[in-house]
Amino acid sequence: MNVFSDPAFDGHEQVVFASDPVTGLKTIIAVHNTNLGPSLGGCRMWPYASEQEAIHDVLRLSRGMTYKSALANLPLGGGKSVIIGDPRSQKTPEMFRAMGRAVEQVGGRYIVAEDVGTNPADMEQIASQTKHVGGINDGKDPARTGDPSPFTAYGVFIGLKEAVRFKNGHEDLAGLRVAVQGLGNVGYHLCLMLHAAGARLVVSDLNTDSVNRAVDEFGATPISVDEILYVDADILAPCALGGIVNDRSIDKIRARIIAGAANNQLEADRHGEMLREAGILYAPDYVINAGGVVEVYYCREGRPVSETNRHIEDIGATVREIFERASRQNLSTGFVADRLAEERFGKR
Ligand code: NAD
């Protein structure tokens, strides 16, 4: 089993393996970097095929949180946790209380939040054992539902408009065609904002109810899941899956801007360079989808939603700096974003 030699290890400060035989908990808590503050990141519960796969995933995700929080100007570092198990059949309240005790033992260097396979009820169990948990909604602010997705969508909307401004010289979305892949929690809220701004929507989802809703509410044009990436549009907003920009797709993408919420849109870093060469402006995913983590932070600090939104609007200035540097230096936006993040968190 490799930890230090895993490609995603990248100088992690701490990796904790914890178990609780009574509840069946097996967890790995990874703290990548705390230069800017305690590490914050979700707890993912997943039936990993092997322990090595779980280790690689937690290291990769935890490192990613360092970069995301640094570019979101949050006083936070990067961390993540995984629980090995099937959330549909193996999850119990007792297991999440044991998880809370494991988080408590890390002594505040790691703050846990929701992720794939975990939900607000699980966080409540964790919160009974430790105060180092984010995303718990105290119900005091009616504008806060506990779901970070609308905030993620708002950040994507800000980043997308900044991309339009950089490409077109103004940020007017009226009449622009935006292809939205995925109409889940984030994609739907993004469509709401794009529609209100006068954009014309082309949409696709595996779920036909979600597509019908977008057609009814926004007058969107539906298109098949096989065609959405390649449709004639000004902007492509991937809000479903990672890896959609790859050797097979790049030549067929007609949009000149890619700005969406999905994590890890580039299959490999070199695809960022290929987008640059193709004249496609790419708003790095982890920069513009940071609205959710900003909200988790403000919610934990007990600060109002109005402050969350003001902070999210800073995404515009950050992504503009990335576009400008990338253009001046003939580098891909993804590469420039990573270097800017490293400057901010002081990578050694
Ligand atoms: P979600 O599960 O609510 O929605 C994803 C949607 O994509 C679903 O409706 C699904 O049917 C659809 N989909 C899946 N495969 C598809 C395909 N091939 N073609 C078209 N549609 C397809 O997820 P979400 O919370 O809306 O998140 C969307 C993306 O944004 C994910 O990649 C997620 O990791 C990322 N993200 C989300 C947040 C957040 O706050 N929710 C924060 C950061 C990043």
Side-chain angles (χ1 to χ4, degrees):
M1 189 164 66
N2 298 324
V3 180
F4 294 110
S5 56
D6 189 290
F9 183 75
D10 189 41
H12 262 75
E13 290 178 10
Q14 191 176 11
V15 183
V16 175
F17 294 77
S19 72
D20 180 60
V22 177
T23 62
L25 175 72
K26 281 189 202 155
T27 181
I28 310 169
I29 300 173
V31 176
H32 176 247
N33 188 289
T34 58
N35 287 359
L36 296 176
S39 69
L40 184 144
C43 171
R44 179 166 293 193
M45 184 167 184
W46 192 255
Y48 290 102
S50 69
E51 291 175 10
Q52 190 65 59
E53 196 186 298
I55 291 167
H56 180 68
D57 209 31
V58 76
L59 294 175
R60 181 179 69 81
L61 294 167
S62 137
R63 178 180 181 276
M65 287 306 297
T66 302
Y67 284 71
K68 179 180 285 202
S69 288
L71 283 188
N73 293 322
L74 289 169
L76 294 172
K80 200 85 182 184
S81 58
V82 295
I83 295 177
I84 301 174
D86 189 334
R88 285 168 305 182
S89 56
Q90 288 170 279
K91 186 189 269 194
T92 60
E94 293 75 19
M95 176 184 277
F96 278 86
R97 286 201 288 279
M99 182 64 192
R101 291 190 290 278
V103 170
E104 177 64 16
Q105 283 174 355
V106 184
R109 290 170 48 74
Y110 171 64
I111 301 165
V112 62
E114 271 175 62
D115 199 79
V116 177
T118 59
N119 59 39
D122 302 329
M123 295 305 121
E124 296 287 350
Q125 295 299 331
I126 289 178
S128 71
Q129 308 294 316
T130 182
K131 65 178 191 308
H132 306 302
V133 53
I136 302 276
N137 184 16
D138 61 12
K140 286 187 196 148
D141 191 335
R144 190 164 260 149
T145 64
D147 177 7
S149 309
F151 297 93
T152 302
Y154 186 48
V156 172
F157 180 67
I158 297 285
L160 182 151
K161 277 200 303 186
E162 203 53 54
V164 170
R165 189 206 299 270
F166 191 78
K167 199 82 174 160
N168 298 351
H170 60 80
E171 60 166 44
D172 188 5
L173 299 182
L176 293 187
R177 231 162 113 89
V178 187
V180 182
Q181 181 191 41
L183 299 166
N185 293 321
V186 181
Y188 171 76
H189 284 97
L190 179 64
C191 285
L192 260 175
M193 297 172 209
L194 291 169
H195 176 65
R200 291 182 295 147
L201 299 174
V202 188
V203 299
S204 179
D205 198 291
L206 297 172
N207 181 336
T208 44
D209 289 344
S210 305
V211 173
N212 292 339
R213 184 182 179 193
V215 171
D216 291 346
E217 292 185 20
F218 313 127
T221 305
I223 195 164
S224 77
V225 292
D226 297 328
E227 291 170 288
I228 185 77
L229 295 178
Y230 313 123
V231 71
D232 185 11
D234 300 288
I235 301 150
L236 172 63
C239 296
L241 313 164
I244 52 108
V245 178
N246 53 48
D247 291 339
R248 300 163 306 284
S249 67
I250 280 184
D251 289 345
K252 293 187 275 177
I253 294 174
R254 289 155 81 186
R256 296 293 92 188
I257 290 173
I258 300 180
N263 280 313
N264 303 315
Q265 289 167 32
L266 307 181
E267 192 175 80
D269 288 349
R270 66 187 171 79
H271 295 116
E273 181 55 27
M274 287 168 73
L275 286 178
R276 188 186 73 79
E277 284 167 6
I280 299 174
L281 181 64
Y282 167 61
D285 47 18
Y286 74 87
V287 181
I288 68 167
N289 74 13
V293 70
V294 173
E295 163 60 2
V296 169
Y297 173 76
Y298 277 79
C299 185
R300 183 177 150 75
E301 295 287 310
R303 287 160 66 180
V305 161
S306 55
E307 287 188 26
T308 307
N309 285 332
R310 271 203 298 280
H311 192 125
I312 290 173
E313 284 156 17
D314 291 347
I315 287 176
T318 302
V319 83
R320 187 181 328 131
E321 183 176 351
I322 291 166
F323 292 153
E324 284 170 355
R325 268 206 213 188
S327 154
R328 268 199 314 273
Q329 300 173 0
N330 284 329
L331 293 168
S332 74
T333 53
F335 180 87
V336 168
D338 287 354
R339 300 297 83 74
L340 187 61
E342 288 165 0
E343 283 168 25
R344 291 195 182 173
F345 74 79
K347 186 179 167 81
R348 283 187 285 271

